Amino acid sequence: MPPGWPFVMHTLERMSLKDVLGKIVGDKPVVLELDLARGLLVAKPTNPLQAIQLINSPTLASLREHLAQAAVDDRVVGLIVHAAPTAQVPLANLEEVAGLIEEFGAKKKTMAWAESFGELIQGLAGYRVAAAAQQIWVQPTGMLSIEGLELQLTLMKGLLNKVGVEPQFGQRHEYKTAANQFNADEITEPHREMMERIGQSIVDEVVADIARLRSLTPEQVWDGINSSPVEPERAHELGLIDHIGYRDEAYAHTLKEWGADAENLLFAHRYTSKAALLRKMRPKQPKVAIVSLRGGIVMGRGVRSPGGEQAGADVVDEHLRAALRDEDVKAVVFDIDSPGGSAVASDFIRRSVLRLKEAGKPVVAHMGATAASGGYYVAMPANEIVAQASTLTGSIGVLGGKMVTEGLYDKLGLVRESLTFGAGAGTFSNAHEFSDEDWERLNRWLDRVYLDFTTFAAQDRDMDYDDLERLARGRVWTGADAKERGLVDHIGGQRLAVERACRLAGLHPGTTKVEHVGEAGLFELLKPAASSETMAGGASLPDPEQLLTGLAASMGLVSHGALSMPFAVRLR
């Protein structure tokens, strides 16, 4: 026993549980702060260096938990939000943050402030977060640069041809525009139609939310958008903000109005409630497991590379099977943020979701910024799907092809000769174009994958096949449009997904433990697995070739597989 431990134990024995909690948590009034200028982690850091660099950044998971606890804590007075620029955080995640602020504000006081909502650059996303607060302050020299959204479409064929590369791709069908990105000579009408609808849907939903939260009409909000940048005085006249002042003035006014002092301030992600500590001390309780899938979906265990995070199907399946084996887990929230990838890997994961349902454990899919193509494939078998209004989803389609580098080799003066052994051995070789027989093989495979995808989607969503197929064809939808068409069930964040999972499992959210599967500490990551039925560390380290592939992916030159989405939309 460590020195001094007997004294600690003796002291604790003389104190009641209430006293112990009071010492740990404290009894002073608290004003919570959320400073988005420090960043926001959508997921936990994946390596120690990132953890150190982002030590003061809240995670979305901590905000979900702590703001919900604080809303029913008598010690907590209110929440102050620094709605700073958050260019690296997708709008769907900011919509969830706004929802958490709004829920908290239903019980407590809230205020948001910013030096400026953009400075001749896009500030609509930051303002969308601020609008969830009851009061908004902006600096006298600031502005509201809330001019809307611009989407840019780029086709690479001309550049590729200049360097001697000929893209050859097949797609199912006209809206699966990843192929267009490489081999189209001009923007097709389906491509333009899809992107126009995505952009309009995103801005329409943002405008509707702001109008509702600020008690304005959509026309009044559009007035501010179309006259952007809006000076603070004009923004006040339009009802878009409440006060004009610097940070010190906003804090002094707010804290005085709330009867609090600066010493009462505490970051929201540092807050802990007594009720939460009591729940953690309960020996056993039913659980909702959260299993995450982030990044391009690949077979195997995936790698961490410059091209972005990968979701290895073996690892995701491992985590879903862990939830299946755990008798205390009564339901699962499948947290998905992925543009898709391998068709085979996606189907492998889908099977794991179906096994949970067959075992009587409801699954609710929660979509982040993107859950499209393969990301939709793994979500569609869930009992219910929750998405944000700006989530990019759908893209029920398939593509496949290659970059022919024969011309590049000629330009470089390189001699290359291919020796093939087998009728189809060189089908996907980049040394030569597809032959007629190669195209026949590719098209046969594309048709098969597309039929599987659409058939399973119709089954999983309980839709007539023809109705589902009309919504498929590779088309990407926003979460708002997908809900109208029956591709998702609810608009909201992960807290709503947990509530739906509890309801489907007959559990009360207040007495149910939420547990993240697979978020292991360093010791667990280093611990070897005993068999494929036990969990081990996640993604592997990349080899040199995978590093090069990752760099190419970061430039949009390769994808993770046939069920991939070609673009991302960020409202900056």
Side-chain angles (χ1 to χ4, degrees), residues 294-328:
R294 298 188 178 280
I297 301 171
V298 298
M299 290 187 286
R301 303 193 68 80
V303 298
R304 295 189 177 100
S305 71
E309 193 172 359
Q310 290 186 351
D314 286 5
V315 176
V316 178
D317 169 67
E318 204 171 79
H319 295 167
L320 291 170
R321 281 188 284 118
L324 180 64
R325 289 192 304 269
D326 191 336
E327 294 181 356
D328 292 334

PDB file of all heavy atoms in Angstrom, residues 294-328:
ATOM      1  N   ARG A 294     -14.810   6.016 -39.139  1.00  0.00           N
ATOM      2  CA  ARG A 294     -14.371   7.301 -39.665  1.00  0.00           C
ATOM      3  C   ARG A 294     -13.346   7.093 -40.769  1.00  0.00           C
ATOM      4  O   ARG A 294     -12.391   6.350 -40.606  1.00  0.00           O
ATOM      5  CB  ARG A 294     -13.760   8.165 -38.558  1.00  0.00           C
ATOM      6  CG  ARG A 294     -14.760   8.493 -37.466  1.00  0.00           C
ATOM      7  CD  ARG A 294     -14.229   9.512 -36.469  1.00  0.00           C
ATOM      8  NE  ARG A 294     -15.258   9.792 -35.487  1.00  0.00           N
ATOM      9  CZ  ARG A 294     -16.283  10.611 -35.680  1.00  0.00           C
ATOM     10  NH1 ARG A 294     -16.381  11.257 -36.825  1.00  0.00           N
ATOM     11  NH2 ARG A 294     -17.190  10.809 -34.758  1.00  0.00           N
ATOM     12  N   GLY A 295     -13.558   7.769 -41.884  1.00  0.00           N
ATOM     13  CA  GLY A 295     -12.608   7.707 -42.984  1.00  0.00           C
ATOM     14  C   GLY A 295     -13.046   6.776 -44.100  1.00  0.00           C
ATOM     15  O   GLY A 295     -14.132   6.200 -44.076  1.00  0.00           O
ATOM     16  N   GLY A 296     -12.171   6.643 -45.083  1.00  0.00           N
ATOM     17  CA  GLY A 296     -12.451   5.780 -46.217  1.00  0.00           C
ATOM     18  C   GLY A 296     -12.507   4.325 -45.800  1.00  0.00           C
ATOM     19  O   GLY A 296     -11.655   3.844 -45.053  1.00  0.00           O
ATOM     20  N   ILE A 297     -13.509   3.613 -46.286  1.00  0.00           N
ATOM     21  CA  ILE A 297     -13.725   2.216 -45.885  1.00  0.00           C
ATOM     22  C   ILE A 297     -12.848   1.306 -46.734  1.00  0.00           C
ATOM     23  O   ILE A 297     -12.930   1.311 -47.967  1.00  0.00           O
ATOM     24  CB  ILE A 297     -15.206   1.838 -46.035  1.00  0.00           C
ATOM     25  CG1 ILE A 297     -16.078   2.755 -45.169  1.00  0.00           C
ATOM     26  CG2 ILE A 297     -15.436   0.388 -45.652  1.00  0.00           C
ATOM     27  CD1 ILE A 297     -17.571   2.607 -45.407  1.00  0.00           C
ATOM     28  N   VAL A 298     -12.013   0.517 -46.074  1.00  0.00           N
ATOM     29  CA  VAL A 298     -11.087  -0.373 -46.771  1.00  0.00           C
ATOM     30  C   VAL A 298     -11.154  -1.763 -46.151  1.00  0.00           C
ATOM     31  O   VAL A 298     -11.596  -1.930 -45.016  1.00  0.00           O
ATOM     32  CB  VAL A 298      -9.629   0.145 -46.704  1.00  0.00           C
ATOM     33  CG1 VAL A 298      -9.507   1.503 -47.384  1.00  0.00           C
ATOM     34  CG2 VAL A 298      -9.147   0.252 -45.258  1.00  0.00           C
ATOM     35  N   MET A 299     -10.702  -2.747 -46.899  1.00  0.00           N
ATOM     36  CA  MET A 299     -10.592  -4.095 -46.348  1.00  0.00           C
ATOM     37  C   MET A 299      -9.392  -4.173 -45.416  1.00  0.00           C
ATOM     38  O   MET A 299      -8.453  -3.382 -45.521  1.00  0.00           O
ATOM     39  CB  MET A 299     -10.456  -5.118 -47.474  1.00  0.00           C
ATOM     40  CG  MET A 299     -11.726  -5.307 -48.283  1.00  0.00           C
ATOM     41  SD  MET A 299     -11.624  -6.671 -49.477  1.00  0.00           S
ATOM     42  CE  MET A 299     -10.568  -5.939 -50.725  1.00  0.00           C
ATOM     43  N   GLY A 300      -9.430  -5.134 -44.493  1.00  0.00           N
ATOM     44  CA  GLY A 300      -8.329  -5.276 -43.548  1.00  0.00           C
ATOM     45  C   GLY A 300      -8.470  -4.325 -42.375  1.00  0.00           C
ATOM     46  O   GLY A 300      -9.570  -3.931 -41.994  1.00  0.00           O
ATOM     47  N   ARG A 301      -7.339  -3.903 -41.839  1.00  0.00           N
ATOM     48  CA  ARG A 301      -7.354  -3.086 -40.626  1.00  0.00           C
ATOM     49  C   ARG A 301      -7.142  -1.600 -40.895  1.00  0.00           C
ATOM     50  O   ARG A 301      -7.257  -0.779 -39.988  1.00  0.00           O
ATOM     51  CB  ARG A 301      -6.302  -3.599 -39.633  1.00  0.00           C
ATOM     52  CG  ARG A 301      -6.505  -5.073 -39.257  1.00  0.00           C
ATOM     53  CD  ARG A 301      -5.685  -5.469 -38.057  1.00  0.00           C
ATOM     54  NE  ARG A 301      -6.134  -4.820 -36.835  1.00  0.00           N
ATOM     55  CZ  ARG A 301      -7.182  -5.229 -36.104  1.00  0.00           C
ATOM     56  NH1 ARG A 301      -7.912  -6.261 -36.503  1.00  0.00           N
ATOM     57  NH2 ARG A 301      -7.519  -4.592 -35.001  1.00  0.00           N
ATOM     58  N   GLY A 302      -6.832  -1.247 -42.161  1.00  0.00           N
ATOM     59  CA  GLY A 302      -6.670   0.159 -42.487  1.00  0.00           C
ATOM     60  C   GLY A 302      -5.320   0.686 -42.051  1.00  0.00           C
ATOM     61  O   GLY A 302      -4.593   0.051 -41.295  1.00  0.00           O
ATOM     62  N   VAL A 303      -4.983   1.870 -42.552  1.00  0.00           N
ATOM     63  CA  VAL A 303      -3.725   2.518 -42.192  1.00  0.00           C
ATOM     64  C   VAL A 303      -3.989   3.984 -41.898  1.00  0.00           C
ATOM     65  O   VAL A 303      -4.999   4.549 -42.320  1.00  0.00           O
ATOM     66  CB  VAL A 303      -2.669   2.412 -43.320  1.00  0.00           C
ATOM     67  CG1 VAL A 303      -2.315   0.964 -43.602  1.00  0.00           C
ATOM     68  CG2 VAL A 303      -3.147   3.117 -44.582  1.00  0.00           C
ATOM     69  N   ARG A 304      -3.063   4.586 -41.178  1.00  0.00           N
ATOM     70  CA  ARG A 304      -3.096   6.040 -40.996  1.00  0.00           C
ATOM     71  C   ARG A 304      -2.090   6.629 -41.965  1.00  0.00           C
ATOM     72  O   ARG A 304      -0.912   6.313 -41.913  1.00  0.00           O
ATOM     73  CB  ARG A 304      -2.745   6.415 -39.552  1.00  0.00           C
ATOM     74  CG  ARG A 304      -3.776   5.914 -38.544  1.00  0.00           C
ATOM     75  CD  ARG A 304      -3.504   6.505 -37.160  1.00  0.00           C
ATOM     76  NE  ARG A 304      -4.530   6.076 -36.215  1.00  0.00           N
ATOM     77  CZ  ARG A 304      -4.356   5.092 -35.340  1.00  0.00           C
ATOM     78  NH1 ARG A 304      -3.210   4.458 -35.276  1.00  0.00           N
ATOM     79  NH2 ARG A 304      -5.324   4.752 -34.518  1.00  0.00           N
ATOM     80  N   SER A 305      -2.557   7.479 -42.861  1.00  0.00           N
ATOM     81  CA  SER A 305      -1.689   7.992 -43.907  1.00  0.00           C
ATOM     82  C   SER A 305      -2.003   9.457 -44.172  1.00  0.00           C
ATOM     83  O   SER A 305      -3.032   9.970 -43.726  1.00  0.00           O
ATOM     84  CB  SER A 305      -1.886   7.178 -45.189  1.00  0.00           C
ATOM     85  OG  SER A 305      -3.151   7.472 -45.767  1.00  0.00           O
ATOM     86  N   PRO A 306      -1.132  10.164 -44.924  1.00  0.00           N
ATOM     87  CA  PRO A 306      -1.405  11.572 -45.239  1.00  0.00           C
ATOM     88  C   PRO A 306      -2.685  11.782 -46.021  1.00  0.00           C
ATOM     89  O   PRO A 306      -3.207  12.885 -46.065  1.00  0.00           O
ATOM     90  CB  PRO A 306      -0.171  11.983 -46.061  1.00  0.00           C
ATOM     91  CG  PRO A 306       0.893  11.023 -45.663  1.00  0.00           C
ATOM     92  CD  PRO A 306       0.176   9.726 -45.404  1.00  0.00           C
ATOM     93  N   GLY A 307      -3.159  10.723 -46.690  1.00  0.00           N
ATOM     94  CA  GLY A 307      -4.384  10.863 -47.477  1.00  0.00           C
ATOM     95  C   GLY A 307      -5.636  10.921 -46.642  1.00  0.00           C
ATOM     96  O   GLY A 307      -6.720  11.130 -47.160  1.00  0.00           O
ATOM     97  N   GLY A 308      -5.507  10.708 -45.328  1.00  0.00           N
ATOM     98  CA  GLY A 308      -6.671  10.760 -44.461  1.00  0.00           C
ATOM     99  C   GLY A 308      -6.879   9.463 -43.709  1.00  0.00           C
ATOM    100  O   GLY A 308      -6.245   8.439 -43.996  1.00  0.00           O
ATOM    101  N   GLU A 309      -7.764   9.527 -42.760  1.00  0.00           N
ATOM    102  CA  GLU A 309      -8.046   8.374 -41.923  1.00  0.00           C
ATOM    103  C   GLU A 309      -8.746   7.279 -42.722  1.00  0.00           C
ATOM    104  O   GLU A 309      -9.543   7.548 -43.607  1.00  0.00           O
ATOM    105  CB  GLU A 309      -8.923   8.827 -40.754  1.00  0.00           C
ATOM    106  CG  GLU A 309      -9.044   7.822 -39.632  1.00  0.00           C
ATOM    107  CD  GLU A 309      -9.766   8.393 -38.425  1.00  0.00           C
ATOM    108  OE1 GLU A 309     -10.138   9.576 -38.472  1.00  0.00           O
ATOM    109  OE2 GLU A 309      -9.945   7.652 -37.448  1.00  0.00           O
ATOM    110  N   GLN A 310      -8.426   6.036 -42.407  1.00  0.00           N
ATOM    111  CA  GLN A 310      -9.089   4.901 -43.026  1.00  0.00           C
ATOM    112  C   GLN A 310      -9.857   4.114 -41.970  1.00  0.00           C
ATOM    113  O   GLN A 310      -9.418   3.999 -40.834  1.00  0.00           O
ATOM    114  CB  GLN A 310      -8.073   3.969 -43.704  1.00  0.00           C
ATOM    115  CG  GLN A 310      -7.436   4.546 -44.946  1.00  0.00           C
ATOM    116  CD  GLN A 310      -6.556   3.527 -45.647  1.00  0.00           C
ATOM    117  OE1 GLN A 310      -6.290   2.444 -45.128  1.00  0.00           O
ATOM    118  NE2 GLN A 310      -6.089   3.872 -46.834  1.00  0.00           N
ATOM    119  N   ALA A 311     -10.979   3.573 -42.390  1.00  0.00           N
ATOM    120  CA  ALA A 311     -11.769   2.700 -41.532  1.00  0.00           C
ATOM    121  C   ALA A 311     -11.580   1.276 -42.028  1.00  0.00           C
ATOM    122  O   ALA A 311     -12.148   0.885 -43.058  1.00  0.00           O
ATOM    123  CB  ALA A 311     -13.241   3.104 -41.578  1.00  0.00           C
ATOM    124  N   GLY A 312     -10.773   0.510 -41.327  1.00  0.00           N
ATOM    125  CA  GLY A 312     -10.553  -0.882 -41.694  1.00  0.00           C
ATOM    126  C   GLY A 312     -11.763  -1.720 -41.315  1.00  0.00           C
ATOM    127  O   GLY A 312     -12.222  -1.695 -40.173  1.00  0.00           O
ATOM    128  N   ALA A 313     -12.308  -2.466 -42.278  1.00  0.00           N
ATOM    129  CA  ALA A 313     -13.515  -3.253 -42.024  1.00  0.00           C
ATOM    130  C   ALA A 313     -13.300  -4.261 -40.904  1.00  0.00           C
ATOM    131  O   ALA A 313     -14.210  -4.522 -40.118  1.00  0.00           O
ATOM    132  CB  ALA A 313     -13.954  -3.969 -43.302  1.00  0.00           C
ATOM    133  N   ASP A 314     -12.091  -4.824 -40.807  1.00  0.00           N
ATOM    134  CA  ASP A 314     -11.822  -5.795 -39.748  1.00  0.00           C
ATOM    135  C   ASP A 314     -11.958  -5.155 -38.372  1.00  0.00           C
ATOM    136  O   ASP A 314     -12.477  -5.761 -37.432  1.00  0.00           O
ATOM    137  CB  ASP A 314     -10.407  -6.367 -39.898  1.00  0.00           C
ATOM    138  CG  ASP A 314     -10.300  -7.356 -41.045  1.00  0.00           C
ATOM    139  OD1 ASP A 314     -11.300  -7.529 -41.772  1.00  0.00           O
ATOM    140  OD2 ASP A 314      -9.220  -7.945 -41.221  1.00  0.00           O
ATOM    141  N   VAL A 315     -11.475  -3.914 -38.240  1.00  0.00           N
ATOM    142  CA  VAL A 315     -11.527  -3.223 -36.950  1.00  0.00           C
ATOM    143  C   VAL A 315     -12.964  -2.854 -36.594  1.00  0.00           C
ATOM    144  O   VAL A 315     -13.416  -3.060 -35.459  1.00  0.00           O
ATOM    145  CB  VAL A 315     -10.645  -1.951 -36.976  1.00  0.00           C
ATOM    146  CG1 VAL A 315     -10.765  -1.183 -35.669  1.00  0.00           C
ATOM    147  CG2 VAL A 315      -9.186  -2.329 -37.237  1.00  0.00           C
ATOM    148  N   VAL A 316     -13.715  -2.309 -37.559  1.00  0.00           N
ATOM    149  CA  VAL A 316     -15.110  -1.936 -37.300  1.00  0.00           C
ATOM    150  C   VAL A 316     -15.927  -3.177 -36.938  1.00  0.00           C
ATOM    151  O   VAL A 316     -16.723  -3.166 -35.985  1.00  0.00           O
ATOM    152  CB  VAL A 316     -15.721  -1.222 -38.519  1.00  0.00           C
ATOM    153  CG1 VAL A 316     -17.186  -0.880 -38.263  1.00  0.00           C
ATOM    154  CG2 VAL A 316     -14.938   0.048 -38.842  1.00  0.00           C
ATOM    155  N   ASP A 317     -15.735  -4.247 -37.679  1.00  0.00           N
ATOM    156  CA  ASP A 317     -16.431  -5.502 -37.384  1.00  0.00           C
ATOM    157  C   ASP A 317     -16.063  -6.007 -35.988  1.00  0.00           C
ATOM    158  O   ASP A 317     -16.925  -6.503 -35.252  1.00  0.00           O
ATOM    159  CB  ASP A 317     -16.067  -6.548 -38.441  1.00  0.00           C
ATOM    160  CG  ASP A 317     -16.534  -7.947 -38.070  1.00  0.00           C
ATOM    161  OD1 ASP A 317     -17.756  -8.163 -38.024  1.00  0.00           O
ATOM    162  OD2 ASP A 317     -15.680  -8.818 -37.816  1.00  0.00           O
ATOM    163  N   GLU A 318     -14.802  -5.884 -35.630  1.00  0.00           N
ATOM    164  CA  GLU A 318     -14.316  -6.299 -34.303  1.00  0.00           C
ATOM    165  C   GLU A 318     -15.070  -5.561 -33.200  1.00  0.00           C
ATOM    166  O   GLU A 318     -15.495  -6.152 -32.203  1.00  0.00           O
ATOM    167  CB  GLU A 318     -12.830  -5.968 -34.227  1.00  0.00           C
ATOM    168  CG  GLU A 318     -12.019  -6.764 -33.245  1.00  0.00           C
ATOM    169  CD  GLU A 318     -10.545  -6.474 -33.430  1.00  0.00           C
ATOM    170  OE1 GLU A 318     -10.098  -5.414 -32.935  1.00  0.00           O
ATOM    171  OE2 GLU A 318      -9.845  -7.270 -34.058  1.00  0.00           O
ATOM    172  N   HIS A 319     -15.246  -4.258 -33.395  1.00  0.00           N
ATOM    173  CA  HIS A 319     -15.935  -3.441 -32.388  1.00  0.00           C
ATOM    174  C   HIS A 319     -17.429  -3.772 -32.333  1.00  0.00           C
ATOM    175  O   HIS A 319     -18.021  -3.801 -31.247  1.00  0.00           O
ATOM    176  CB  HIS A 319     -15.717  -1.966 -32.692  1.00  0.00           C
ATOM    177  CG  HIS A 319     -14.291  -1.537 -32.574  1.00  0.00           C
ATOM    178  ND1 HIS A 319     -13.827  -0.321 -33.045  1.00  0.00           N
ATOM    179  CD2 HIS A 319     -13.214  -2.170 -32.034  1.00  0.00           C
ATOM    180  CE1 HIS A 319     -12.535  -0.217 -32.805  1.00  0.00           C
ATOM    181  NE2 HIS A 319     -12.138  -1.321 -32.201  1.00  0.00           N
ATOM    182  N   LEU A 320     -18.039  -3.998 -33.483  1.00  0.00           N
ATOM    183  CA  LEU A 320     -19.456  -4.368 -33.497  1.00  0.00           C
ATOM    184  C   LEU A 320     -19.662  -5.740 -32.852  1.00  0.00           C
ATOM    185  O   LEU A 320     -20.649  -5.968 -32.145  1.00  0.00           O
ATOM    186  CB  LEU A 320     -19.985  -4.367 -34.931  1.00  0.00           C
ATOM    187  CG  LEU A 320     -20.091  -2.986 -35.603  1.00  0.00           C
ATOM    188  CD1 LEU A 320     -20.380  -3.124 -37.091  1.00  0.00           C
ATOM    189  CD2 LEU A 320     -21.162  -2.132 -34.930  1.00  0.00           C
ATOM    190  N   ARG A 321     -18.730  -6.665 -33.083  1.00  0.00           N
ATOM    191  CA  ARG A 321     -18.833  -7.986 -32.447  1.00  0.00           C
ATOM    192  C   ARG A 321     -18.631  -7.893 -30.936  1.00  0.00           C
ATOM    193  O   ARG A 321     -19.237  -8.657 -30.169  1.00  0.00           O
ATOM    194  CB  ARG A 321     -17.820  -8.950 -33.059  1.00  0.00           C
ATOM    195  CG  ARG A 321     -18.272  -9.506 -34.407  1.00  0.00           C
ATOM    196  CD  ARG A 321     -17.360 -10.610 -34.909  1.00  0.00           C
ATOM    197  NE  ARG A 321     -16.118 -10.100 -35.445  1.00  0.00           N
ATOM    198  CZ  ARG A 321     -14.912 -10.371 -34.962  1.00  0.00           C
ATOM    199  NH1 ARG A 321     -14.788 -11.153 -33.908  1.00  0.00           N
ATOM    200  NH2 ARG A 321     -13.833  -9.873 -35.522  1.00  0.00           N
ATOM    201  N   ALA A 322     -17.786  -6.959 -30.492  1.00  0.00           N
ATOM    202  CA  ALA A 322     -17.602  -6.763 -29.050  1.00  0.00           C
ATOM    203  C   ALA A 322     -18.907  -6.318 -28.407  1.00  0.00           C
ATOM    204  O   ALA A 322     -19.271  -6.771 -27.316  1.00  0.00           O
ATOM    205  CB  ALA A 322     -16.498  -5.738 -28.792  1.00  0.00           C
ATOM    206  N   ALA A 323     -19.630  -5.419 -29.087  1.00  0.00           N
ATOM    207  CA  ALA A 323     -20.945  -4.991 -28.586  1.00  0.00           C
ATOM    208  C   ALA A 323     -21.945  -6.138 -28.611  1.00  0.00           C
ATOM    209  O   ALA A 323     -22.808  -6.247 -27.735  1.00  0.00           O
ATOM    210  CB  ALA A 323     -21.459  -3.821 -29.427  1.00  0.00           C
ATOM    211  N   LEU A 324     -21.822  -7.010 -29.600  1.00  0.00           N
ATOM    212  CA  LEU A 324     -22.713  -8.166 -29.708  1.00  0.00           C
ATOM    213  C   LEU A 324     -22.486  -9.130 -28.542  1.00  0.00           C
ATOM    214  O   LEU A 324     -23.438  -9.676 -27.970  1.00  0.00           O
ATOM    215  CB  LEU A 324     -22.470  -8.874 -31.043  1.00  0.00           C
ATOM    216  CG  LEU A 324     -23.306 -10.120 -31.339  1.00  0.00           C
ATOM    217  CD1 LEU A 324     -24.779  -9.759 -31.448  1.00  0.00           C
ATOM    218  CD2 LEU A 324     -22.823 -10.785 -32.627  1.00  0.00           C
ATOM    219  N   ARG A 325     -21.221  -9.331 -28.159  1.00  0.00           N
ATOM    220  CA  ARG A 325     -20.898 -10.286 -27.083  1.00  0.00           C
ATOM    221  C   ARG A 325     -21.237  -9.748 -25.698  1.00  0.00           C
ATOM    222  O   ARG A 325     -21.532 -10.513 -24.786  1.00  0.00           O
ATOM    223  CB  ARG A 325     -19.401 -10.621 -27.115  1.00  0.00           C
ATOM    224  CG  ARG A 325     -18.966 -11.465 -28.285  1.00  0.00           C
ATOM    225  CD  ARG A 325     -17.542 -11.971 -28.065  1.00  0.00           C
ATOM    226  NE  ARG A 325     -16.596 -10.889 -27.837  1.00  0.00           N
ATOM    227  CZ  ARG A 325     -15.911 -10.288 -28.786  1.00  0.00           C
ATOM    228  NH1 ARG A 325     -16.059 -10.647 -30.049  1.00  0.00           N
ATOM    229  NH2 ARG A 325     -15.054  -9.318 -28.502  1.00  0.00           N
ATOM    230  N   ASP A 326     -21.188  -8.439 -25.511  1.00  0.00           N
ATOM    231  CA  ASP A 326     -21.383  -7.833 -24.187  1.00  0.00           C
ATOM    232  C   ASP A 326     -22.866  -7.903 -23.798  1.00  0.00           C
ATOM    233  O   ASP A 326     -23.710  -7.253 -24.407  1.00  0.00           O
ATOM    234  CB  ASP A 326     -20.910  -6.385 -24.222  1.00  0.00           C
ATOM    235  CG  ASP A 326     -20.825  -5.755 -22.830  1.00  0.00           C
ATOM    236  OD1 ASP A 326     -21.526  -6.229 -21.913  1.00  0.00           O
ATOM    237  OD2 ASP A 326     -20.062  -4.780 -22.670  1.00  0.00           O
ATOM    238  N   GLU A 327     -23.167  -8.679 -22.788  1.00  0.00           N
ATOM    239  CA  GLU A 327     -24.563  -8.858 -22.369  1.00  0.00           C
ATOM    240  C   GLU A 327     -25.173  -7.580 -21.816  1.00  0.00           C
ATOM    241  O   GLU A 327     -26.401  -7.427 -21.812  1.00  0.00           O
ATOM    242  CB  GLU A 327     -24.652  -9.978 -21.322  1.00  0.00           C
ATOM    243  CG  GLU A 327     -24.293 -11.358 -21.869  1.00  0.00           C
ATOM    244  CD  GLU A 327     -24.423 -12.439 -20.818  1.00  0.00           C
ATOM    245  OE1 GLU A 327     -24.725 -12.085 -19.648  1.00  0.00           O
ATOM    246  OE2 GLU A 327     -24.236 -13.621 -21.146  1.00  0.00           O
ATOM    247  N   ASP A 328     -24.336  -6.670 -21.313  1.00  0.00           N
ATOM    248  CA  ASP A 328     -24.855  -5.417 -20.761  1.00  0.00           C
ATOM    249  C   ASP A 328     -25.233  -4.422 -21.857  1.00  0.00           C
ATOM    250  O   ASP A 328     -25.958  -3.460 -21.600  1.00  0.00           O
ATOM    251  CB  ASP A 328     -23.822  -4.776 -19.834  1.00  0.00           C
ATOM    252  CG  ASP A 328     -23.605  -5.593 -18.563  1.00  0.00           C
ATOM    253  OD1 ASP A 328     -24.544  -6.312 -18.169  1.00  0.00           O
ATOM    254  OD2 ASP A 328     -22.503  -5.523 -17.983  1.00  0.00           O
TER     255      ASP A 328
END
